[in-house]
Amino acid sequence: MSRLKYIFGALAIVMMAFAACKKDSENDASKQAAKDDQDIQAYIKTYNDTTKSAKINATKDENGIYYEILKTGTGAYPTVNSTISINYTGKLLNGTQFDKGNTSYPLVGFIKGWQLGIPRINSGGRILLLIPSGLAYGANGKGTIPPNAPLIFVVDLLNFK
């Protein structure tokens, strides 16, 4: 019987440790989301204070993405299950461009921020997306994108299927 108590006691300790790790992870994600939001707001303010030709008039959605529709397209809107054809530019908040190109690929294969943001425009549309790191590459980063980096994208939706 005492061996059974020992096993249950050890199991309880392991379960508490996992619960504490999950709580710390959720807390860290929440702190990072708040930091990303501050950084994005500061970027918008600085951009608007220093740029004379254009201002950012972005709206924050319920997921934490800031977006501005720069050009209205026509027709239906893509879904996460659509294959999109796009031109895009990606930058860090410090202005460093990390990617530029065009591609045709299922939207579901892109970062969560694109999956949530691109369906806001239709064919021929252009959108500015300011994406918090948790909806981009998160704590891992990717290639030249550092960990926990909010990202800026300008995306032209050429068409979709």
Side-chain angles (χ1 to χ4, degrees):
M1 187 69 148
S2 67
R3 185 173 185 191
L4 192 56
K5 285 183 183 178
Y6 173 77
I7 291 172
F8 282 125
L11 184 58
I13 290 171
V14 168
M15 289 173 52
M16 287 188 302
F18 279 122
C21 288
K22 183 178 180 187
K23 194 175 209 178
D24 288 345
S25 175
E26 289 171 0
N27 195 18
D28 289 347
S30 173
K31 285 181 184 176
Q32 185 61 48
K35 180 184 181 315
D36 288 352
D37 193 67
Q38 283 182 327
D39 291 347
I40 290 170
Q41 287 182 31
Y43 171 81
I44 291 169
K45 181 178 182 344
T46 300
Y47 184 92
N48 286 346
D49 287 349
T50 60
T51 302
K52 305 287 186 235
S53 62
K55 301 285 184 198
I56 295 175
N57 295 306
T59 300
K60 181 181 177 183
D61 77 3
E62 66 278 1
N63 300 297
I65 296 170
Y66 287 79
Y67 69 95
E68 181 178 353
I69 297 172
L70 302 173
K71 180 182 173 190
T72 304
T74 59
Y77 293 83
T79 68
V80 73
N81 297 315
S82 299
T83 295
I84 58 171
S85 294
I86 58 168
N87 290 328
Y88 67 94
T89 303
K91 294 181 180 181
L92 303 174
L93 292 183
N94 68 10
T96 302
Q97 183 176 306
F98 60 83
D99 199 7
K100 181 177 185 172
N102 55 31
T103 190
S104 183
Y105 199 77
L107 184 53
V108 73
F110 290 109
I111 62 172
K112 189 71 171 175
W114 277 26
Q115 293 175 28
L116 297 168
I118 291 176
R120 295 182 179 279
I121 57 172
N122 39 16
S123 291
R126 173 180 267 199
I127 192 167
L128 169 70
L129 296 170
L130 298 129
I131 302 174
S133 63
L135 298 174
Y137 296 103
N140 296 323
K142 183 175 182 182
T144 60
I145 301 169
N148 296 317
L151 304 177
I152 305 164
F153 288 97
V154 174
V155 180
D156 295 307
L157 179 59
L158 305 175
N159 59 57
F160 65 93
K161 301 181 217 173

